[in-house]
Amino acid sequence: MTPPDSEYGPDLNAASSQVRLPGDVPAARLDGINKSFPGVKALDNVSFDVRRGEVHALLGENGAGKSTLVKILAGLIPPDSGRILLDGSDVVFHGPRDAQRRGISHVPQEVQAVPDFSVGRNMLLGFEGPFDRKGKLSSKEREQTRDVLDRCGASFSESALSGQLSIPELRLAQISRTLLHPGDVIVLDEPNAALSENDAAAMLDRLRLLRDQQKAIIFVSHRLTEVLGIADRITVLRDGCAVGTFPRAELDKDKIVALMTKTSRLSDSNRPRLAAFHSPSVEATNGRALLEVDGLTREPNLVDVSFRLNAGQIVGMAGVQGSGHGHLLRAIAGVDGYERGQVAVRGHALHSGVVRGAYRAGIVLVPADRRASAIVSQLSVRANLTLPIHSIASRGGIRRIRKERQLAREHVEAFGIRPPNTEMLAGNLSGGNQQKLALARALVSKPDVLLLDEPTQGIDVAAKAEILALIRQLVQEHGFGVVVASSEFEELLAVADVIHVMSRGRLVETFPTEEADYERILHAALP
Amino acid sequence: MSDRAPPAVRSYRLSIRDWAFKYSTELQLLAGLAVMIAIFSLLEPSIYPTTANVQNISRQAGVLLVVAIGQMFAITVGGFDLSVGANMGFTSIVTAQAVADHGVAAAIVIGLLTGAAIGLVNGILIAKMRVSPFVVTMAMLTFLTGYAGVRSGGASVIANDPTLKWFGGRDWGFMPSTIGIGIIILLVAVVFTGRTRIGLYVYAIGGSRETCRLAGIPVARYEAITYMITGMLAGAGGIMLTARVSVGQAGLGAGFELRSIAAVVIGGAVIGGGKGRLSGVFLGVALMTCLTVGLAVTGVGTFQQQMAIGIALVVAVLISQMRGGSFRQISDLLPTLKRLFIGFGHGDDQSRRSARPTATTDSASDDTA
Ligand SMILES: Nc1ncnc2c1ncn2[C@@H]1O[C@H](COP(=O)(O)OP(=O)(O)OP(=O)(O)O)[C@@H](O)[C@H]1O
Ligand SMILES: [Mg+2]
């Protein structure tokens, strides 16, 4: 469909006509795959293969079709047409179990775990013997799971309850699960999203080991530095079409971004204005901080954390997995209770563990687990945007549909949600677009204090910069306050005024952003 | 394709294909209904396809429709209500007694309030106290059955009032009053679900309670209100039945709990919440009633009728899941069964809570809300 890109055309041909050694049959090959969803052509005649002993990265903007492609390989969705070949022979998958049996391991983009089971039990799901107990791991199982977790650099125990882990921790557990029983073809859909760089590095080391064991690895990611560090070949998708497959050596960051995006990006000047976004009532705070957190303690995740947030300020919370920065936001928002300490908005103390109270005081949280608690998958984008009760789009309990449409259109445009269809079910958006929707929704409710937990996980490079700029701009114009918890320090350096670093539940260091750099933050954050 | 402008944000129009996909449950139900009516008409040409029979069917369907609409709210918000039948019986007694003492208008109001109060108690226990809907509504069923007996002394209460007859007994012109009331309530419900904030919240809470909580929505309040509506509509059903038979009776609504749940599920709603459409409920009710009446007309025994309805329920739900090709092969069932026992979605991110196990094998089949 897509004509070869003039700039990269020759390379593309070189890559695809590479001489094949005899017997060099790809471990897995997708040939001429088409897949449509109602209203969207998600994949248009895409071919893709992965060989043993290589890491093949799959890149593309949000909604380009990466997850759809790997889901087809993992047997989760059937293609409309096209062939799947394993070691050169055609296969048809009847469901994920089928694909697993044929040696395909898949780490999905969204974390999932049985919350009431321990990490170890979750890792072993589907592999347990007939007499295994739900509550307790046998010493052999314990050893097995501990070993993998250690090697992935997990800071939590195999007997920890999954429901109590943060999103980065769960993600690590999920990767470990796959590494426990790796198939011949390992598919990782954004495994490093929301992982700090050094946690991701441990994981990438494991992948290198697996590559050396002649596994075929497919790696989907938006973090280009890491991709360039590990990939042997790179395929770029754009709007459901394969732009090309390139050896790693031929690409650098800028080239990749150019290949991924062909749309003219919105610049600051022509970015649509959020007319419906009324400035929150940030009254004179009488010299007091907007948000004051004092001695907040919830063992073992939070120990004596104190900080201030002023109106018009963006505070960053940096941390690696297990440092408690996500837990801090949940405690402030009233999702989790705390044992000691106090949270006050404009001098008024809040009750521990009461979401409604925090919300009334103007605190809005964008949680990290978007699928479970940031959006309602079965509702349309428009309905999701108008859910918050303070939304202006209803009067006396009667919804004003035109107003809703207008508001939804504005936010879809401002946050670059694709496809720009306000009536689409939120659950059918791609992962990155769901994340954009979660952010947009939080802003609809006109927060005074906005808490963002790993806000840009899964959002593509270009959109990320735009969204961070948008948040900065809104903060400047409307004077609310933002706390961003992130494992991606670059993002904090780009957006925050002050960066606090957390480690093992404690606030260990504070930098004004001018004085902070990546190395210093990492040094402080490591436990 | 290579230099597109940024896509403009439009309000998308559904193409015919997308529309058919979205409403495939309804289309399948319509087809099933047509086939069924054709078969019964061929078997009993002198009885089934007659005006009298159509009136008979709609007379019965009206009551079920009202109760099923209420049941749909309870199911969509994430639970279900097993007490609707007992609620109908109790309301029937209360209404019949009130007709004698206070007149018809007051009796209807009292009946509706009774139903609503029962629903509200259910709702508070479920939403605020977080007791499971099964336990709460099961307990309510048992309690109400007993209480209705106590109030009536175990006997029927005569409610032979000509005015009351207009609300379930007589016909409005050619149209039986039950279906008239059913359609009015259906239209109100369409506006309620599509145009009001509470209506939106019913779907949102059923879709993700946690998301709503974080969005600052008083989740428990709206959930309780939803059960109250369910109760009120069950009460309305009780009044209609009382008017039809001219007596208040504790056992009047027996069986309605399961029939209403069946109709809603046939109509495409999912136990677990978040999904459910009134058009589906309407067709589910139509299908169930046409089937029951058809079987009765063709002389099938009561026991066999029950067996047929049980089979129809499963078949209808299976068919609606075949859409999207998730049942391409029987072998698909194996992972599904395994998954049921393991209870964990290995790969896909589809609804774990969904009562439809096959949703996990095909995300494309999961997006018709
Ligand atoms: N079940 C579905 N129904 C309708 N559309 C869908 C469905 N699943 C995916 N899509 C659409 O298909 C396109 C590709 O989605 P996909 O999830 O593959 O993107 P992606 O490349 O993984 O993006 P991201 O980087 O955001 O994860 C998107 O436009 C998405 O909205
Ligand atoms: Mg994706």
Side-chain angles (χ1 to χ4, degrees):
Chain A
M1 267 295 273
T2 313
D5 214 275
S6 54
E7 209 179 326
Y8 300 106
D11 294 348
L12 190 151
N13 291 339
S16 48
S17 62
Q18 240 176 19
V19 194
R20 287 263 161 75
L21 302 170
D24 180 20
V25 183
R29 181 171 155 70
L30 294 161
D31 195 25
I33 300 284
N34 286 291
K35 179 77 195 177
S36 296
F37 295 109
V40 205
K41 177 117 204 188
L43 293 174
D44 190 348
N45 194 21
V46 173
S47 300
F48 178 87
D49 66 47
V50 61
R51 305 182 196 133
R52 285 172 206 289
E54 81 163 351
V55 175
H56 193 157
L58 189 55
L59 306 183
E61 284 189 300
N62 293 132
K66 306 178 294 296
S67 297
T68 308
L69 190 65
V70 297
K71 277 186 193 167
I72 287 174
L73 181 57
L76 290 166
I77 48 179
D80 294 343
S81 66
R83 298 158 69 201
I84 304 173
L85 301 102
L86 295 185
D87 286 322
S89 46
D90 275 284
V91 289
V92 176
F93 292 136
H94 307 291
R97 189 84 192 171
D98 203 14
Q100 270 171 36
R101 265 200 306 262
R102 291 172 195 262
I104 294 177
S105 312
H106 174 229
V107 179
Q109 183 171 8
E110 308 295 335
V111 288
Q112 43 189 213
V114 183
D116 299 330
F117 282 12
S118 67
V119 172
R121 190 43 77 221
N122 267 307
M123 286 171 65
L124 291 165
L125 267 184
F127 298 103
E128 51 278 275
F131 302 111
D132 283 354
R133 277 179 295 168
K134 163 165 106 31
K136 205 158 167 287
L137 296 165
S138 70
S139 58
K140 184 164 144 273
E141 290 173 331
R142 186 179 292 269
E143 219 169 274
Q144 231 182 348
T145 50
R146 179 73 257 160
D147 182 54
V148 184
L149 285 172
D150 276 343
R151 275 191 262 176
C152 288
S155 62
F156 48 89
S157 140
E158 69 283 356
S159 51
L161 265 194
S162 293
Q164 289 174 357
L165 296 187
S166 67
I167 288 295
E169 290 169 318
L170 279 176
R171 213 176 265 286
L172 217 52
Q174 201 165 6
I175 296 164
S176 311
R177 170 185 153 78
T178 305
L179 300 187
L180 196 56
H181 303 274
D184 288 339
V185 179
I186 302 172
V187 184
L188 301 133
D189 198 346
E190 296 193 32
N192 47 1
L195 284 189
S196 70
E197 246 174 77
N198 71 305
D199 292 326
M203 180 206 75
L204 293 176
D205 281 341
R206 294 289 301 158
L207 289 191
R208 287 195 185 90
L209 268 174
L210 288 169
R211 169 169 66 187
D212 295 343
Q213 294 163 17
Q214 294 302 304
K215 303 278 186 199
I217 300 171
I218 300 173
F219 186 61
V220 181
S221 175
H222 290 296
R223 286 162 61 169
L224 301 185
T225 321
E226 286 166 20
V227 168
L228 288 169
I230 191 169
D232 300 300
R233 284 191 301 160
I234 295 173
T235 292
V236 179
L237 289 183
R238 189 203 303 152
D239 270 346
C241 301
V243 178
T245 300
F246 310 89
R248 146 84 187 84
E250 285 176 16
L251 294 180
D252 58 35
K253 261 191 188 174
D254 293 339
K255 280 189 190 163
I256 293 177
V257 173
L259 285 172
M260 278 167 53
T261 58
K262 268 295 170 182
T263 47
S264 56
R265 281 277 164 187
L266 303 169
S267 68
D268 269 6
S269 51
N270 65 6
R271 173 176 300 128
R273 315 280 300 176
L274 291 180
F277 188 81
H278 295 316
S279 75
S281 50
V282 180
E283 301 119 25
T285 46
N286 302 330
R288 301 203 62 161
L290 188 56
L291 175 75
E292 292 162 291
V293 175
D294 277 306
L296 212 59
T297 302
R298 175 192 165 87
E299 300 276 3
N301 300 315
L302 293 175
V303 186
D304 196 23
V305 177
S306 307
F307 73 97
R308 304 254 163 298
L309 170 72
N310 295 319
Q313 193 184 31
I314 301 182
V315 167
M317 289 286 162
V320 297
Q321 46 97 17
S323 68
H325 54 316
H327 288 99
L328 174 63
L329 296 198
R330 290 169 60 84
I332 297 174
V335 182
D336 296 338
Y338 37 85
E339 290 137 20
R340 280 190 303 286
Q342 192 185 358
V343 176
V345 177
R346 293 201 196 86
H348 298 292
L350 302 178
H351 293 290
S352 152
V354 185
V355 178
R356 283 277 290 160
Y359 189 87
R360 283 224 191 83
I363 298 182
V364 172
L365 169 70
V366 178
D369 52 342
R370 55 179 168 242
R371 214 133 176 144
S373 52
I375 59 162
V376 184
S377 318
Q378 290 108 320
L379 290 182
S380 68
V381 169
R382 167 162 64 91
N384 263 287
L385 283 169
T386 44
L387 259 193
I389 200 160
H390 292 312
S391 147
I392 48 170
S394 93
R395 179 179 283 158
I398 304 296
R399 294 165 68 187
R400 292 187 290 167
I401 302 294
R402 287 180 53 163
K403 192 100 195 173
E404 283 190 12
R405 289 224 171 90
Q406 182 200 345
L407 182 139
R409 269 199 296 268
E410 279 168 6
H411 284 81
V412 161
E413 203 162 324
F415 284 82
I417 295 170
R418 309 270 176 80
N421 175 357
T422 56
E423 303 309 305
M424 182 158 171
L425 291 191
N428 291 343
L429 290 173
S430 77
N433 284 304
Q434 290 181 11
Q435 187 67 33
K436 295 179 198 168
L437 176 62
L439 288 170
R441 233 206 50 200
L443 286 165
V444 171
S445 51
K446 296 181 251 163
D448 288 356
V449 176
L450 181 61
L451 308 177
L452 305 176
D453 194 359
E454 308 289 353
T456 61
Q457 51 169 325
I459 296 184
D460 68 50
V461 224
K464 187 185 229 169
E466 272 179 23
I467 286 176
L468 291 178
L470 177 66
I471 290 174
R472 266 237 79 95
Q473 177 198 334
L474 289 173
V475 166
Q476 269 154 17
E477 284 171 14
H478 302 289
F480 57 101
V482 181
V483 184
V484 188
S486 178
S487 310
E488 296 184 35
F489 305 153
E490 305 289 355
E491 152 180 323
L492 294 178
L493 287 166
V495 76
D497 300 308
V498 181
I499 298 177
H500 299 295
V501 184
M502 289 188 68
S503 174
R504 293 175 182 246
R506 289 176 189 279
L507 221 160
V508 288
E509 195 123 27
T510 299
F511 304 102
T513 304
E514 311 85 73
E515 292 168 26
D517 61 34
Y518 181 81
E519 292 301 327
R520 292 182 67 182
I521 297 179
L522 182 61
H523 184 74
L526 287 183
Chain B
M1 279 291 283
S2 37
D3 13 61
R4 300 168 292 130
V9 184
R10 311 172 257 143
S11 288
Y12 275 55
R13 295 243 151 186
L14 288 178
S15 72
I16 298 221
R17 209 174 135 240
D18 296 347
W19 187 91
F21 188 85
K22 179 170 179 199
Y23 290 99
S24 51
T25 308
E26 280 86 342
L27 292 175
Q28 282 160 351
L29 283 174
L30 271 176
L33 205 55
V35 170
M36 209 171 68
I37 290 172
I39 292 176
F40 284 128
S41 301
L42 284 177
L43 289 175
E44 293 291 338
S46 59
I47 310 177
Y48 201 75
T50 59
T51 322
N53 191 43
V54 170
Q55 285 184 330
N56 178 30
I57 289 176
S58 42
R59 198 168 289 129
Q60 298 195 17
V63 182
L64 182 58
L65 179 61
V66 171
V67 180
I69 289 171
Q71 189 67 261
M72 188 198 85
F73 287 120
I75 288 180
T76 307
V77 86
F80 46 77
D81 189 345
L82 292 175
S83 69
V84 288
N87 184 336
M88 292 167 78
F90 184 74
T91 312
S92 167
I93 299 282
V94 171
T95 312
Q97 289 171 338
V99 168
D101 300 345
H102 309 285
V104 173
I108 289 178
V109 173
I110 290 172
L112 290 177
L113 289 178
T114 308
I118 294 168
L120 188 59
V121 173
N122 280 337
I124 289 173
L125 287 168
I126 292 167
K128 278 248 193 283
M129 319 287 173
R130 306 294 286 142
V131 187
S132 87
F134 182 84
V135 173
V136 169
T137 59
M138 185 73 147
M140 183 58 88
L141 182 164
T142 319
F143 173 82
L144 282 181
T145 312
Y147 192 27
V150 169
R151 275 200 71 133
S152 64
S156 312
V157 182
I158 305 290
N160 203 353
D161 186 299
T163 326
L164 187 64
K165 283 258 160 209
W166 285 108
F167 300 96
R170 299 183 52 163
D171 292 353
W172 297 351
F174 64 93
M175 185 167 61
S177 50
T178 53
I179 195 70
I181 296 171
I183 287 173
I184 291 171
I185 290 182
L186 181 70
L187 293 179
V188 173
V190 167
V191 175
F192 178 80
T193 51
R195 286 288 182 272
T196 67
R197 203 165 57 193
I198 309 185
L200 173 64
Y201 287 168
V202 171
Y203 285 84
I205 294 170
S208 171
R209 207 170 196 278
E210 187 62 14
T211 307
C212 293
R213 203 164 73 94
L214 292 182
I217 295 168
V219 173
R221 186 189 310 164
Y222 284 103
E223 205 176 348
I225 292 175
T226 308
Y227 280 98
M228 188 180 83
I229 295 170
T230 306
M232 192 176 73
L233 290 178
I239 298 170
M240 287 156 75
L241 277 185
T242 312
R244 196 163 135 208
V245 299
S246 298
V247 284
Q249 241 172 20
L252 219 49
F256 266 86
E257 52 282 333
L258 295 183
R259 272 195 284 157
S260 62
I261 292 176
V264 172
V265 171
I266 288 177
V270 173
I271 305 276
K275 280 185 180 182
R277 261 200 309 259
L278 287 158
S279 48
V281 171
F282 180 81
L283 290 171
V285 168
L287 195 97
M288 296 257 309
T289 319
C290 286
L291 180 64
T292 334
V293 171
L295 290 172
V297 164
T298 43
V300 175
T302 332
F303 300 135
Q304 286 85 344
Q305 285 182 30
Q306 288 176 334
M307 290 165 65
I309 290 175
I311 294 171
L313 175 62
V314 173
V315 169
V317 173
L318 277 181
I319 289 179
S320 77
Q321 286 181 3
M322 259 196 249
R323 183 175 14 109
S326 42
F327 266 71
R328 281 167 304 159
Q329 294 229 348
I330 297 295
S331 63
D332 284 14
L333 276 175
L334 294 178
T336 305
L337 289 177
K338 227 163 190 166
R339 179 180 308 258
L340 269 182
F341 291 115
I342 296 171
F344 178 67
H346 277 286
D348 199 12
D349 42 18
Q350 293 303 319
S351 45
R352 271 208 318 259
R353 311 171 43 196
S354 161
R356 301 175 159 196
T358 49
T360 39
T361 56
D362 185 355
S363 29
S365 72
D366 205 32
D367 50 10
T368 50

